Amino acid sequence: MTGYLLYHSIGQYPGKAADLARAMAEFATSWGAQDDGQWAFALGRRARYLERWRAILNAPEGSVTTCESVTGGLHALVTALPRDRLRGRRVLVAADCFPSNHFLLAGLADRLGFTLDTVPMRQGAPWVEPEDVLDRWGPDVGLALLTWVSSTSSHRLDLAPLLAHGRAVGTVCVVDVTQGAGLLPYDATALGADATVSTSLKWMCGTPGAGVLHVAPALAATCAPELRGWFSQDNPFNWDIAAFAFAPDIRRFDSGTPGIVAALATLPALDWHAREDRAAMLAWNRRLSARLVEGADRLGLPLASPREERRRGGSVMLRMADADGAVARLKAAGVVADRRGDVLRLSPGPVTTEEGVERAIAALS
């Protein structure tokens, strides 16, 4: 029985290996055929990938494209904004954001002329409190990066009031939904998010390199991406080198010949996800997560995640002096988990069983 608790890293679903092998075999057959059908096949699969993600985000048509990673998508957006959006202003980010995004913003600050303002965690706290973000969020903030669910605490932001505040003061608001997309409902349109970035690795159960960038149409129309190419145009087959013009929608964030293999390899996982009962998937996660919290309480292990379900993503994280040793003990018991520093990360999903969770608790005791 499976003790897979690694959905915060790589998601799994029943039959994933066979689906992935089949998709790769289909691609190999098409790409290796001595005919002219390769691009119709590959671009068609990419279009289906984008439609699946558009439905997950409830994003408008023409507002979602591929990117290699969350960091890559964020870079594409930040460097495409009109310079006066950021120059001389602050970019606001919480200290519990995904570190790769912070590395990127810190490196761009001098070149783009903004000050990176990182909201710290309170003494001994495992996540940044949203009220501390709001306290530092004034009209001089040109862009705010909101991490919906933290990868180190599973703390979940209530996005609606934060995005409403951002609109009121004229901030471009980017939401990183990586640790929640596919498990928790997200609605880019209802929330009014300016942009959304994600990967397909976690609850979406996809492959590396299959990222997604959503940019609201009104914002996209003002952007001039640095990386541009023939696919950035409304008509990619325009060969007049003196007549380049950006496509009117998200396609302006495309550039040269698009990388398709990661999206094509991930499409079976997105198709599987679209067939599933999402409410049942979340209910299963909540049931197993509650059991993990009960077990931690019984063992006297302090939570590094919010206790309240509404404030928590799909993971239960525990503070442990010997988190590395705990990972080894879990592995010996047939339970797969990992750690970040002294935080043990446990994330039950569709393939996780109740017996696997009980084995995890027994191993931790």
Side-chain angles (χ1 to χ4, degrees):
M1 303 295 284
T2 179
Y4 192 81
L5 295 171
L6 212 59
Y7 279 82
H8 55 267
S9 180
I10 300 174
Q12 304 291 354
Y13 69 93
K16 178 179 177 178
D19 282 355
L20 183 54
R22 190 178 307 112
M24 292 294 90
E26 289 174 353
F27 173 67
T29 298
S30 172
W31 204 253
Q34 296 182 24
D35 58 27
D36 63 353
Q38 293 90 347
W39 282 115
F41 173 85
L43 290 174
R45 292 296 194 273
R46 179 178 185 260
R48 274 180 53 197
Y49 170 90
L50 291 174
E51 279 304 298
R52 289 298 192 202
W53 260 111
R54 192 167 76 84
I56 292 160
L57 302 175
N58 193 32
E61 187 173 354
S63 70
V64 176
T65 191
T66 54
C67 57
E68 184 180 39
S69 65
V70 166
T71 312
L74 182 61
H75 178 272
L77 175 65
V78 171
T79 56
L81 292 171
R83 289 296 181 254
D84 60 357
R85 283 277 194 169
L86 300 182
R87 187 167 298 281
R89 305 181 77 184
R90 286 186 296 137
V91 168
L92 196 65
V93 65
D96 58 351
C97 72
F98 188 55
S100 184
N101 293 330
H102 198 278
F103 299 155
L104 170 70
L105 294 172
L108 290 175
D110 286 345
R111 178 162 74 89
L112 299 184
F114 64 80
T115 299
L116 183 59
D117 188 358
T118 306
V119 184
M121 289 178 268
R122 297 177 184 180
Q123 184 70 33
W127 61 80
V128 176
E129 295 292 349
E131 52 265 36
D132 292 345
V133 175
L134 286 170
D135 283 346
R136 294 169 69 146
W137 194 340
D140 64 325
V141 173
L143 181 143
L145 174 63
L146 302 175
T147 303
W148 186 26
V149 178
S150 167
S151 64
T152 52
S153 70
S154 200
H155 175 256
R156 174 187 179 185
L157 286 176
D158 181 4
L159 291 172
L162 292 166
L163 290 170
H165 178 77
R167 283 193 299 275
V169 298
T171 299
V172 174
C173 297
V174 185
V175 186
D176 177 359
V177 301
T178 302
Q179 290 290 341
L183 179 69
L184 305 170
Y186 176 82
D187 191 327
T189 300
L191 287 167
D194 293 307
T196 309
V197 286
S198 185
T199 179
S200 301
L201 276 173
K202 320 299 180 181
W203 304 99
M204 298 311 309
C205 303
T207 65
V212 65
L213 169 66
H214 149 256
V215 183
L219 178 61
T222 71
C223 291
E226 284 188 335
L227 189 60
R228 63 185 70 181
W230 67 311
F231 268 77
S232 309
Q233 306 175 103
D234 194 26
N235 173 22
F237 294 98
N238 165 48
W239 300 119
D240 184 349
I241 60 174
F244 174 86
F246 281 118
D249 53 18
I250 193 66
R251 290 173 296 158
R252 66 179 53 206
F253 283 92
D254 297 336
S255 54
T257 305
I260 291 172
V261 176
L264 186 148
T266 292
L267 186 57
L270 301 190
D271 288 343
W272 163 82
H273 185 271
R275 294 191 300 268
E276 290 298 295
D277 182 334
R278 298 186 193 182
M281 189 185 304
L282 179 57
W284 183 246
N285 167 268
R286 292 315 196 196
R287 176 174 175 172
L288 298 185
S289 295
R291 183 67 192 98
L292 287 168
V293 171
E294 291 168 6
D297 287 345
R298 179 168 55 82
L299 297 174
L301 298 173
L303 293 178
S305 300
R307 182 171 295 276
E308 304 93 328
E309 191 175 88
R310 64 180 179 81
R311 300 181 64 209
R312 193 175 67 237
S315 306
V316 174
M317 303 188 182
L318 310 176
R319 284 201 184 278
M320 300 191 71
D322 184 21
D324 196 41
V327 170
R329 290 191 296 277
L330 289 167
K331 187 174 183 179
V335 176
V336 185
D338 70 3
R339 68 173 181 88
R340 287 293 181 268
D342 65 350
V343 174
L344 179 68
R345 306 196 297 175
L346 308 169
S347 305
V351 303
T352 316
T353 63
E354 290 181 298
E355 187 274 338
V357 167
E358 294 305 322
R359 238 182 316 125
I361 295 169
L364 291 175
S365 68

